[in-house]
Amino acid sequence: MERIFVAEDDESIREELKTLLEANGYKAVDAPPCDLALLDVNLPGENGFEICRKLRMHSDVPVIFLTARDSAEDEIVGFGVGADDYIRKPYNSSVLLMRIARLLKRQFAPTTVRGLTLDLSSMTAEYGGRRTELTKNEARILACLMKKELCTKEEILEDLWNDSLYVDENTLYVNISRLREKLKGIGAEGYIRTVRGVGYRF
């Protein structure tokens, strides 16, 4: 079940959104980690733009601004801080759900790099027509490496934490070792290399 972070200061709208999301198979949460963030701009304390900017420092989850601020300047700022979509209130429930579904589908679309395909929706890796199943930890580690090619141990651990997977450094070594063996089993040997003192390279 995908987790959607809802940042909305109007209690009635927040409850309306949570009801809508949960009726359509999502889990509404009050803070990251999440699979998608739904942010108002006008919030007490940090505004939505600041929340989005901070989220983008360590996460690439889809972000939708849902706000009454309807100027072109606000929309430009929203996309500038990393939003994927900008929807003005009052919103249409069906349109909002469609846009959420589209962004989540894109988020979990299969990724192919150098002949190796990772499918996060089915938790599998495929190479040369051969496929192996991955654990959630292994899939997230591989996704991180395929996205950046060189990842520090800290970056991988932070990425796993953002996905609610609590892994320490020793457990990371075990997961990397198992992932290498699974990739070797489908012919993708040598795809994950250790960069001594730094992390791992894909």
Side-chain angles (χ1 to χ4, degrees), residues 34-54:
C34 60
D35 297 300
L36 181 144
L38 199 55
L39 309 177
D40 193 0
V41 174
N42 297 322
L43 295 168
E46 286 186 316
N47 65 33
F49 295 145
E50 287 300 318
I51 293 174
C52 182
R53 188 178 287 114
K54 287 186 176 180

Side-chain angles (χ1 to χ4, degrees), residues 48-99:
F49 295 145
E50 287 300 318
I51 293 174
C52 182
R53 188 178 287 114
K54 287 186 176 180
L55 194 59
R56 280 288 170 263
M57 292 172 67
H58 57 74
S59 175
D60 62 353
V61 297
V63 174
I64 299 175
F65 279 110
L66 183 62
T67 178
R69 290 178 53 166
D70 58 1
S71 73
E73 290 79 8
D74 284 325
E75 188 169 351
I76 289 168
V77 172
F79 284 112
V81 296
D84 296 274
D85 208 341
Y86 194 99
I87 300 174
R88 294 173 177 84
K89 296 173 182 174
Y91 63 91
N92 178 284
S93 297
S94 298
V95 171
L96 176 61
L97 289 169
M98 179 191 69
R99 293 189 177 186

Side-chain angles (χ1 to χ4, degrees), residues 10 22 28 32 37 51 87 99 104 117 128 132 137 149 163 167 177 182 186 199 201:
D10 185 308
E22 291 176 359
I51 293 174
I87 300 174
R99 293 189 177 186
L104 287 171
T117 298
T132 184
N137 281 342
E149 294 192 14
D163 202 43
V167 176
S177 178
K182 288 184 178 181
I186 59 172
R201 179 185 294 279

Side-chain angles (χ1 to χ4, degrees), residues 34-202:
C34 60
D35 297 300
L36 181 144
L38 199 55
L39 309 177
D40 193 0
V41 174
N42 297 322
L43 295 168
E46 286 186 316
N47 65 33
F49 295 145
E50 287 300 318
I51 293 174
C52 182
R53 188 178 287 114
K54 287 186 176 180
L55 194 59
R56 280 288 170 263
M57 292 172 67
H58 57 74
S59 175
D60 62 353
V61 297
V63 174
I64 299 175
F65 279 110
L66 183 62
T67 178
R69 290 178 53 166
D70 58 1
S71 73
E73 290 79 8
D74 284 325
E75 188 169 351
I76 289 168
V77 172
F79 284 112
V81 296
D84 296 274
D85 208 341
Y86 194 99
I87 300 174
R88 294 173 177 84
K89 296 173 182 174
Y91 63 91
N92 178 284
S93 297
S94 298
V95 171
L96 176 61
L97 289 169
M98 179 191 69
R99 293 189 177 186
I100 288 171
R102 176 178 59 85
L103 287 172
L104 287 171
K105 184 177 180 181
R106 186 187 76 186
Q107 178 79 353
F108 292 104
T111 303
T112 301
V113 179
R114 288 167 39 215
L116 179 67
T117 298
L118 170 65
D119 189 338
L120 284 173
S121 62
S122 64
M123 296 291 204
T124 59
E126 185 173 340
Y127 182 81
R130 300 166 69 185
R131 180 179 297 184
T132 184
E133 293 185 358
L134 305 174
T135 65
K136 194 171 185 180
N137 281 342
E138 293 162 352
R140 292 301 303 177
I141 291 168
L142 187 55
C144 185
L145 290 167
M146 290 176 77
K147 182 168 57 182
K148 294 192 64 179
E149 294 192 14
L150 174 62
C151 294
T152 66
K153 289 178 288 186
E154 291 75 18
E155 284 174 324
I156 297 173
L157 289 168
E158 186 172 324
D159 184 71
L160 293 171
W161 181 86
N162 282 321
D163 202 43
S164 299
L165 302 168
Y166 300 101
V167 176
D168 61 22
E169 200 163 307
N170 289 331
T171 310
L172 175 61
Y173 295 147
V174 172
N175 278 273
I176 289 283
S177 178
R178 289 176 179 167
L179 180 55
R180 280 174 167 154
E181 284 300 310
K182 288 184 178 181
L183 294 182
K184 180 180 178 181
I186 59 172
E189 188 173 1
Y191 268 61
I192 300 175
R193 291 168 289 161
T194 301
V195 180
R196 193 174 300 278
V198 178
Y200 301 93
R201 179 185 294 279
F202 182 79

Side-chain angles (χ1 to χ4, degrees), residues 1-5 26-37 104 162-164:
M1 181 182 293
E2 291 95 344
R3 296 161 56 91
I4 298 182
F5 168 34
Y26 301 113
K27 180 176 178 59
V29 297
D30 295 322
C34 60
D35 297 300
L36 181 144
L104 287 171
N162 282 321
D163 202 43
S164 299

